Amino acid sequence: MRTNPSFALDDRAEIRRLIEQNPWVTLVSNTSAGLVASHYPVILDVNAPADEIVIVSHVGRPDERLHELGQHEVLVVVQGPHGYISPGWYDANPAVPTWNFISAHLHGVPEILSDAENLEVLSTLVDHFEDRMPEPRRMNGTLANAEYSARISAGTVGFRLTVARFEAKSKLSQNRPAETVERIIHELADGDTYYRQPALAAEMRRIHDAPVLPAETTGVPGA
């Protein structure tokens, strides 16, 4: 991830919020057979120390072997809202398009969970997402469900990842004048174009409640 001090995101609370709101992640391993990537939902480990970022989840077999899980460091990519920013949303001066986004790269060596721990994580994972449903279907909601879940859990391997280091970026037009930021937010939130992206507009509005940084002259797009 290309570094830029204007867009650096190093607040651990913000990283946790990013994970909570964007739990579908990409898991990347540099294995003895080459790069392997998979996609899974993750949740924060609520029992983790306050000064750490710890995620838990599972992989479906044989992904634990393909990733050589637990044998080396992995990369977990968390992607927040993102979208195209047209130069037509700036002023009349020459400009190029760019892409606004929030993302984080989490690094650490996964700890493989026991069968009992894996079952607990699976139950917690289901509850986490089912809590938003009008009639949640719990993994252990009925005896039949619990028995079925116990059987199929054998096809999964749970893991806990304590984040040893991370790089994160929140590129949300911090290098643009306030009036340009307002125009971009309007186009993303209410514009009548293909690139309307309300979730990205909401993130921009949230961070730009603080003073906007002075405009820079680099005009370098992208990550």
Side-chain angles (χ1 to χ4, degrees):
M1 185 182 295
R2 188 173 68 88
T3 59
N4 184 323
S6 296
F7 308 134
L9 181 60
D10 53 16
D11 185 337
R12 287 176 176 263
E14 282 295 292
I15 300 301
R16 291 190 185 93
R17 188 185 71 89
L18 183 66
I19 296 168
E20 287 177 339
Q21 296 185 0
N22 304 275
W24 186 250
V25 304
T26 302
L27 173 67
V28 183
S29 298
N30 187 13
T31 74
S32 57
L35 290 175
V36 176
S38 299
H39 310 275
Y40 288 98
V42 301
I43 56 174
L44 292 168
D45 185 348
V46 297
N47 298 315
D51 61 341
E52 293 185 351
I53 301 172
V54 183
I55 58 175
V56 291
S57 188
H58 68 286
V59 298
R61 298 183 188 275
D63 267 5
E64 86 285 2
R65 289 190 288 105
L66 296 177
H67 280 272
E68 299 172 352
L69 213 60
Q71 299 179 34
H72 50 67
E73 186 177 78
V74 300
L75 165 66
V76 176
V77 180
V78 186
Q79 181 63 65
H82 61 94
Y84 178 78
I85 307 300
S86 168
W89 300 346
Y90 297 162
D91 50 32
N93 293 321
V96 294
T98 189
W99 207 277
N100 278 5
F101 63 92
I102 310 172
S103 62
H105 293 178
L106 316 178
H107 303 263
V109 179
E111 168 197 354
I112 304 301
L113 303 180
S114 68
D115 291 345
E117 290 174 314
N118 179 39
L119 195 58
E120 183 178 349
V121 164
L122 288 172
S123 179
T124 303
L125 196 68
V126 170
D127 285 347
H128 177 79
F129 294 106
E130 279 293 312
D131 281 345
R132 295 165 172 81
M133 298 298 292
E135 297 182 9
R137 289 282 298 270
R138 309 293 182 187
M139 208 172 86
N140 298 314
T142 67
L143 180 59
N145 276 353
E147 291 175 346
Y148 175 74
S149 299
R151 288 198 305 274
I152 66 167
S153 68
T156 67
V157 175
F159 70 87
R160 178 183 294 108
L161 177 68
T162 299
V163 177
R165 58 190 173 88
F166 67 85
E167 305 94 31
K169 198 168 183 179
S170 176
K171 182 180 178 296
L172 299 171
S173 300
Q174 295 96 321
N175 58 337
R176 295 291 173 181
E179 59 272 18
T180 302
V181 169
E182 286 298 326
R183 202 154 47 241
I184 293 171
I185 291 174
H186 168 74
E187 292 293 342
L188 290 171
D190 304 306
D192 186 22
T193 74
Y194 178 83
Y195 297 108
R196 186 171 179 269
Q197 178 53 277
L200 182 59
E203 285 295 327
M204 288 186 63
R205 172 56 63 205
R206 192 176 68 86
I207 72 147
H208 284 288
D209 283 344
V212 179
L213 297 176
E216 297 177 346
T217 58
T218 58
V220 179

